Structure formats: C-alpha cells, structure tokens
Amino acid sequence: MKIIVDAMGGDNAPLSVVEGAVAAAAELKTDVILAGSGEELLRCFQKLGISNLPKGIEIANTTEVITMEDDPSRAVREKRDSSMAVALNMLRDGAGAAVVSAGSTGALLSGATLVVKRIRGIRRAALAPVIPTRTGGSVLLDSGANAECSLEYLLQFAYMGSAYARCVLGKERPSVALLNIGAEESKGTDMLREAYRLLKEADRQGKLSFVGNVEGRDVFDGRADVIVCDGFSGNVLLKGMEGTAQYLMGELKDIFYKSTRTKLAAQLLKKELAGLKSKLDYGEVGGSMFLGIAKPVIKAHGSSDARAIKNAIGQAAKIAASGLAEEITARLEDMQPPAEAAGAE
C-alpha cells in the first residue's frame, strides 16, 4: 500500500514531512510517495544524513506550493502543479491509497471535493478528528468544514461517524450523541430538536445507537463514541480543548518545577505525566479525516512534526484498509431525512 504525502504543506515542511515519511517507511513498513519539489526534498534527505532514496520512498516532482494566503476555493485549480494538487490527482487516479497533508485545511477540502469527489449521495464532507476521552476516543464531526449545517448534513454526519468508529476504531456498536447546550430533549435550536427526534427514531429501528444530547463539559467522559455538531461548534470545542490541554500541561510543569520537593514528586510521577501528555497530544493520532470523500484524505495539524506526520501516514494506511467508504455507501438510504422533515429546515 502506498500513501501519498503533500511534502510541501505545513509549518515545518518539507524537512519534518520527509523525516516523518522516512520513519513511516522504516517503522510502519508503509510505502510513501512524497509530492513536492525534487530538489528541496533531496536536500532534506541530505540534512537527515541520507544519501540515497530510502526503500519505500518515492518522489513525485512538483513546481508549485499552495500557501495559507492562497484562496482555498481556487488554489488547487490555479496551482495545478502544486504538491497538494498533484497528490490529490494521484489519489484519484489510483497511484496511492490515501493522501496526507498538513497544508491549508480549506484548500485541501476544496481540492478533495473537486478532484477526488465525495461519495455519491453524501452532501458534505466533514472534518472528523478523534478526540481523547476517558474511554479512549470519540469521533467529533464536523469540526470545521461546514460552519452551517442542514438537518440532512447532521444525519449524514451521525451515520458516517458511526461507520468510522466501527471500521477504524473497532467499536462494535458505536454510541452517537448530539452536541447541545443541554442534555434535555427540548434543548437547542429547532433543527437540533428535529435531529434529536430523527436520531431517536433511528435508534428505535436499530439503525444507530443514539444516546441523546451531550454538553461540551461532558464530551470527554466517553459516553458517546460519536459526537455530531455543525462545523462552527465543533471547531470551537476542538480549539478550546487544545488550548485547555496546553494550559493544563503548562500549569503542571510550573507546579512540579517550583521546588526540590515538587521536582522529586515529578520524578516519581514521570511515567504517569508522560501518559497524560501523550493522551492530550494531537500528534499521537496524526490527523483528521475528511469523512465523505470517496478515498481517504487526512488533514494533519499545520504544525505537525516528524512524529505527527509518521502517525498520520499510519492512520491513513489503517483507514484505507478498513473498508470505510464501502460501509458509508451501504448506509446511504438510512441517511435521508423524511420529506416532511427536510422541508421543515
């Protein structure tokens, strides 16, 4: 299996991307195609002390780069020889099983939709990170691809997230919840109340395991394997979680380095603290999938280091082998809201 990587996308590209790809090829035994400037990539290999192209690594030479300043909706069309555009075209044409990029989220979503296309019948792709919880992890969708959502989008997100949790995370019967301002059935907007009703009916029919509403403060207790929301709410939740994690680890560091006594305590808790840090670290997962795209497209964090890129490549390979797209396609009929509900949006 080959994973295509946008080698020029991200804050630390291309050096960290090359380093992560080398690690993935060596440790995960995953073949990697690096889409990017051949000259720059070869210089990166030299900086890493590698004189010959490592086994399992290929280069697809490109001449352009999509930057954060480029218009996301036009970038892939206007920069056809960019590393991101070439990677997506290679995926569409079957040169690899998945694409990984730490570049512009908007450009990657637009490009994936334009070039690779959505699964037929899916209205919108959703950015679906796996967030840490007390029971392992939950799929959050949408987390930024669609700031405003219709009732049909939310229903499709529920089914797609459930398929991801089952195929990729190994959850036998994933539980699904709606992110809302309260746990009660009557809370939220008219659309959220209608979504609640339809998901409850899907649960009654055995199509989904719907557990109701979940508030932001209860997301991390692990009650739901899938958390459904619009992209605006999901992005605020995700960024708030990342900021809280950074704040918490900073405060703990200050506490444990305050005195000799606390430094000793830190040494005694070193293993446990490392475990907590790892659980809160986005780099451990690697990236977030655009659920609903016909082939796997993984968005790595813009500031991904080599370890995060390696893990994103491993995640992409796992998703590509999971049969996720086929699972989503098989459930399309269940995802359609009744005509009267769709007309009430």
Side-chain angles (χ1 to χ4, degrees), residues 96-320:
V99 158
V100 172
S101 175
S104 165
T105 302
L108 186 62
L109 173 61
S110 178
T113 303
L114 177 70
V115 177
V116 186
K117 308 293 186 183
R118 292 190 295 269
I119 295 170
R120 186 177 296 275
I122 294 299
R123 296 292 301 279
R124 290 290 188 276
L127 190 58
V130 177
I131 61 174
T133 68
R134 297 183 71 86
T135 58
S138 297
V139 186
L140 173 68
L141 72 165
D142 183 23
S143 69
N146 307 278
E148 296 181 4
C149 290
S150 68
L151 178 61
E152 184 178 12
Y153 298 175
L154 294 179
L155 291 181
Q156 290 194 344
F157 293 170
Y159 280 96
M160 290 196 297
S162 182
Y164 185 97
R166 184 166 48 255
C167 293
V168 180
L169 302 184
K171 309 279 188 178
E172 185 174 344
R173 184 165 170 75
S175 52
V176 179
L178 276 172
L179 182 65
N180 209 330
I181 58 173
E184 299 84 1
E185 187 173 347
S186 60
K187 291 293 180 122
T189 62
D190 290 343
M191 186 173 67
L192 282 174
R193 290 194 293 272
E194 181 64 8
Y196 187 107
R197 184 184 71 80
L198 293 177
L199 290 173
K200 187 176 181 180
E201 176 62 18
D203 178 80
R204 187 189 68 79
Q205 295 176 9
K207 297 177 179 178
L208 284 174
S209 178
F210 181 58
V211 296
N213 291 327
V214 62
E215 295 182 78
R217 66 182 180 183
D218 299 320
V219 161
F220 308 105
D221 65 8
R223 182 166 65 98
D225 300 311
V226 180
I227 300 162
V228 175
C229 58
D230 63 80
F232 183 91
S233 303
N235 192 265
V236 170
L237 174 64
L238 185 66
K239 296 296 176 58
M241 180 197 77
E242 290 177 352
T244 301
Q246 291 172 359
Y247 169 76
L248 174 62
M249 295 311 299
E251 287 294 297
L252 285 174
K253 184 177 180 181
D254 290 344
I255 289 171
F256 282 120
Y257 282 86
K258 187 171 289 187
S259 67
T260 302
R261 180 170 58 88
T262 56
K263 287 178 182 179
L264 178 60
Q267 286 299 313
L268 293 173
L269 295 171
K270 187 175 181 179
K271 182 178 179 181
E272 288 76 10
L273 290 171
L276 174 61
K277 184 178 180 181
S278 176
K279 193 172 185 179
L280 298 175
D281 184 4
Y282 64 81
E284 286 296 314
V285 175
S288 304
M289 183 179 179
F290 283 118
L291 268 176
I293 299 298
K295 296 182 179 181
V297 176
I298 310 300
K299 173 63 179 74
H301 202 287
S303 60
S304 291
D305 58 12
R307 177 179 56 89
I309 294 295
K310 180 196 75 173
N311 289 336
I313 292 170
Q315 178 191 16
K318 182 178 180 180
I319 292 171

